[in-house]
Amino acid sequence: MNSKFSTGQIVRFSILFYWSIFWLFNLIDKLIGGSMFLWVGRDRFAQFQKFFASAGLDSPIIADIALIVAAGLEAFAFVMFAGALLHFMKNRMETSRSWFFLGIVFTLVTFTIFSIGDHIFGDRFELLEHTLFWFITLLSWVVYNRLERVEGEDLVLERKQKLGASVVTLFLV
């Protein structure tokens, strides 16, 4: 049995998949809170505490609240992108687009807040990173919407090809 996928559908699916995995891994990093077997994360609590202490706010409660707000924004972004991906896979394009838009909004808000914090705390490397992600988020929205109106060539994948691609994708992730 053959399935047809347009190149636009594949790119749109990839955008939704990327952002879902991106925010999932960010949430896992917050939950693990450092390094462990097969995961080299960052202790975000210690990082937040150091940032706030450098600004004269030594109370760990402030770092806790900031980390909870950040994790909450990331959780909402993950839920929106994962929801958009599920609706996309069920071929409910308008609903998928609505969920994707909300994910984009949460992502832009998150990176804007992080960028403001990077300015306040003087972390120029993180500022560059968050600014790049902010623009990549906007680019994702533009590409996703432009591909909605473009008729791309159809790719016909055999069952073995889909299985092989799925295995390789899972291995890479």
Side-chain angles (χ1 to χ4, degrees):
M1 181 174 148
N2 291 340
S3 297
K4 290 186 177 185
F5 299 99
S6 74
T7 52
Q9 284 178 307
I10 292 171
V11 173
R12 291 173 75 212
F13 173 85
S14 299
I15 289 170
L16 294 172
F17 184 76
Y18 169 80
W19 283 113
S20 297
I21 292 296
F22 179 89
W23 287 120
L24 177 64
F25 285 165
N26 270 281
L27 286 171
I28 291 170
D29 189 40
K30 300 265 185 314
L31 293 173
I32 291 175
S35 298
M36 61 179 280
F37 181 68
L38 294 178
W39 185 270
V40 180
R42 182 181 257 176
D43 186 353
R44 297 291 179 182
F45 175 74
Q47 180 186 19
F48 275 45
Q49 198 168 13
K50 181 181 120 193
F51 284 159
F52 283 102
S54 72
L57 303 168
D58 294 333
S59 174
I61 291 176
I62 294 172
D64 281 341
I65 291 169
L67 194 59
I68 289 168
V69 168
L73 287 169
E74 292 175 0
F76 283 122
F78 167 69
V79 167
M80 294 302 137
F81 286 120
L85 183 60
L86 290 173
H87 287 291
F88 185 86
M89 291 176 8
K90 292 181 178 182
N91 212 22
R92 295 188 283 227
M93 297 307 167
E94 261 322 295
T95 307
S96 175
R97 188 175 181 279
S98 297
W99 283 68
F100 182 62
F101 175 74
L102 291 172
I104 291 291
V105 169
F106 277 109
T107 300
L108 290 174
V109 167
T110 302
F111 288 135
T112 299
I113 291 171
F114 286 173
S115 295
I116 291 168
D118 296 336
H119 275 290
I120 292 170
F121 302 124
D123 192 339
R124 299 299 177 237
F125 180 76
E126 290 277 335
L127 177 61
L128 174 63
E129 180 182 320
H130 292 137
T131 303
L132 285 173
F133 276 122
W134 197 92
F135 282 106
I136 289 169
T137 303
L138 280 182
L139 181 63
S140 295
W141 175 249
V142 170
V143 169
Y144 186 89
N145 285 310
R146 295 284 179 168
L147 287 174
E148 226 173 14
R149 296 180 222 127
V150 173
E151 291 294 325
E153 73 179 61
D154 287 339
L155 300 176
V156 179
L157 300 176
E158 301 290 330
R159 185 180 177 113
K160 287 180 183 178
Q161 290 173 312
K162 286 193 287 186
L163 180 63
S166 297
V167 169
V168 169
T169 301
L170 287 173
F171 176 74
L172 291 174
V173 170

